Amino acid sequence: MQVFLGVLFHFLGGFASGSFYIPFKRVKGWAWESFWIVGGLFSWLIVPPIAAYLTIPNFSDIIAQADSSVLGYTYFFGILWGIGGLTYGLGVRYLGVSLGSSVILGLCMVFGSLIPSIYYDFFPAEGKDTFSMMLAESWGQTVLAGLLLCVIGIIVSGKAGTMKEKQLQAEATDPHGMEVKTEYKFGLGMFVAIVSGVLSACFNFGIEAGKPMADVANAAWKAANPNETGNFLYLNNVIYVVLLWGGLTTNFIWCMALNARNKTFGNYTDKKTPLLRNFLFSALAGTTWFLQFFFYGMGESKMGNGASSWILHMAFIILIANTWGLVLKEWKGVNKKTFATVIAGILIIIASVLVVGWGNSMKP
């Protein structure tokens, strides 16, 4: 039952991540940097402490009493994760939308799921899964097989996207909705994609760095609920408050620079645009974005912050994003071979989710 709930919560998180950009499409007359940072203020500054306040008593005291190194590393990884998201567009520019997105998402999933377990091989910690443990035990081998299967699914989906681009020659957009000019440069593109994939995975590293704060919240919940089994459902919400300060720092600096360069500071007060609607839809998009990690934390409380949780999170994001592409008819006009390829990629990713869930259920 715990594994089923974990998979369900990760699905909800993936659904939120794969769907958050839809409200942004209802924003009219604003530049990307304007609605992105308005949504980001809700994603990274406003909603996280509200969620923590509603779920964790005295969360601010936990942060205030945390060791400075815990706060520093958590914030630092948040900054790196923010840079990873912003460099996503460069990977798309030099490799193309499908290949660039597939490489970056694949690397983010691999690094985010495996590096923490490799780290704990060198610096063991109680209750943490190591990579050697995963290689040696059947449940770990099954989870790694699911990871490999998901990478194959991403490659197949990327192939379908490449086929689509050649057939439709559509305008390229990065995952943040900005139009980008594709200039195919494989060597430079792969370098940027690797940087983006590694830095995007830093969100999972930030969760690991902030674990001492989550442990305090978990211990307080267990003391207040001695008859309850398992871990506190919302233990990660206190980490997000600090971790997302880092993401806000990176994105705020970048968006303000774009506002200055593009002379778009006037967007926020331009009465020629539907200001109230723009602010509301930006806020909705930002809140939906945060929900991905709200539910991620709930899933992690059921499955642990090992490779399983991160793989499921990334797999569901890819799955939902591809499914939205089908629902919104983004694949309209492609030939049957291309359509069959994208369906095959989605089915492989679904299979990978089932394999990871099965492997986690075998864990003693």
Side-chain angles (χ1 to χ4, degrees):
M1 186 62 181
Q2 297 297 311
V3 172
F4 171 78
L5 288 174
V7 172
L8 175 61
F9 291 141
H10 283 308
F11 169 78
L12 293 174
F15 184 85
S17 180
S19 307
F20 86 94
Y21 204 86
I22 292 176
F24 277 140
K25 294 183 179 296
R26 302 294 300 275
V27 175
K28 304 297 181 184
W30 280 9
W32 173 85
E33 57 270 19
S34 300
F35 65 71
W36 183 254
I37 196 58
V38 171
L41 288 173
F42 282 84
S43 299
W44 309 312
L45 182 65
I46 298 173
V47 178
I50 292 175
Y53 174 79
L54 294 175
T55 55
I56 302 177
N58 303 315
F59 82 93
S60 58
D61 292 338
I62 296 176
I63 295 174
Q65 295 169 11
D67 189 272
S68 59
S69 64
V70 171
L71 297 177
Y73 280 118
T74 304
Y75 176 74
F76 174 68
F77 282 125
I79 290 177
L80 294 182
W81 162 75
I83 297 173
L86 291 174
T87 54
Y88 205 132
L90 285 177
V92 169
R93 178 175 182 174
Y94 294 127
L95 292 178
V97 176
S98 298
L99 179 58
S101 296
S102 298
V103 170
I104 293 169
L105 286 172
L107 288 170
C108 181
M109 182 179 64
V110 171
F111 282 108
S113 59
L114 295 186
I115 286 183
S117 61
I118 295 173
Y119 171 84
Y120 287 120
D121 260 320
F122 294 96
F123 304 96
E126 185 179 354
K128 299 295 184 180
D129 299 331
T130 65
F131 186 66
S132 58
M133 182 190 305
M134 295 177 68
L135 287 174
E137 300 187 18
S138 58
W139 71 267
Q141 295 167 2
T142 305
V143 168
L144 292 175
L147 171 61
L148 177 61
L149 194 60
C150 192
V151 171
I152 294 172
I154 293 172
I155 293 172
V156 173
S157 298
K159 174 63 176 177
T162 302
M163 295 164 67
K164 172 192 171 185
E165 288 174 37
K166 290 180 179 179
Q167 291 171 39
L168 302 183
Q169 296 182 340
E171 284 188 333
T173 58
D174 76 5
H176 297 159
M178 294 183 70
E179 293 184 3
V180 293
K181 181 180 179 182
T182 299
E183 302 172 5
Y184 191 79
K185 298 178 182 178
F186 183 78
L188 180 59
M190 286 300 296
F191 172 76
V192 173
I194 291 171
V195 171
S196 180
V198 173
L199 294 183
S200 295
C202 284
F203 198 96
N204 200 32
F205 307 161
I207 293 176
E208 286 287 348
K211 265 300 174 210
M213 291 185 289
D215 290 341
V216 173
N218 194 40
W221 175 81
K222 287 186 174 182
N225 301 273
N227 296 324
E228 296 285 344
T229 58
N231 290 319
F232 182 33
L233 199 59
Y234 308 109
L235 77 173
N236 273 1
N237 284 355
V238 67
I239 300 176
Y240 297 150
V241 175
V242 179
L243 180 56
L244 293 175
W245 286 340
L248 173 64
T249 301
T250 307
N251 282 268
F252 185 81
I253 292 173
W254 177 243
C255 288
M256 292 302 100
L258 288 180
N259 274 149
R261 188 185 72 180
N262 299 330
K263 297 179 172 60
T264 52
F265 278 114
N267 286 165
Y268 307 114
T269 57
D270 187 357
K271 294 182 179 180
K272 295 179 181 179
T273 64
L275 285 176
L276 179 60
R277 187 178 76 172
N278 285 357
F279 278 109
L280 287 176
F281 277 113
S282 296
L284 177 61
T287 301
T288 303
W289 183 95
F290 171 76
L291 289 177
Q292 67 170 306
F293 289 114
F294 181 83
F295 286 113
Y296 176 87
M298 294 171 68
E300 186 206 85
S301 73
K302 300 297 182 183
M303 303 183 72
N305 190 32
S308 300
S309 285
W310 191 250
I311 294 169
L312 287 174
H313 179 68
M314 295 303 301
F316 278 129
I317 291 174
I318 298 163
L319 175 63
I320 297 300
N322 276 293
T323 302
W324 273 119
L326 296 175
V327 171
L328 298 175
K329 299 182 179 180
E330 292 180 355
W331 294 86
K332 183 179 180 180
V334 301
N335 60 32
K336 292 183 179 179
K337 182 178 180 181
T338 300
F339 190 76
T341 303
V342 71
I343 293 298
I346 292 174
L347 291 176
I348 293 172
I349 293 171
I350 292 174
S352 76
V353 170
L354 297 176
V355 171
V356 171
W358 178 35
N360 202 77
S361 68
M362 296 164 58
K363 186 177 179 180

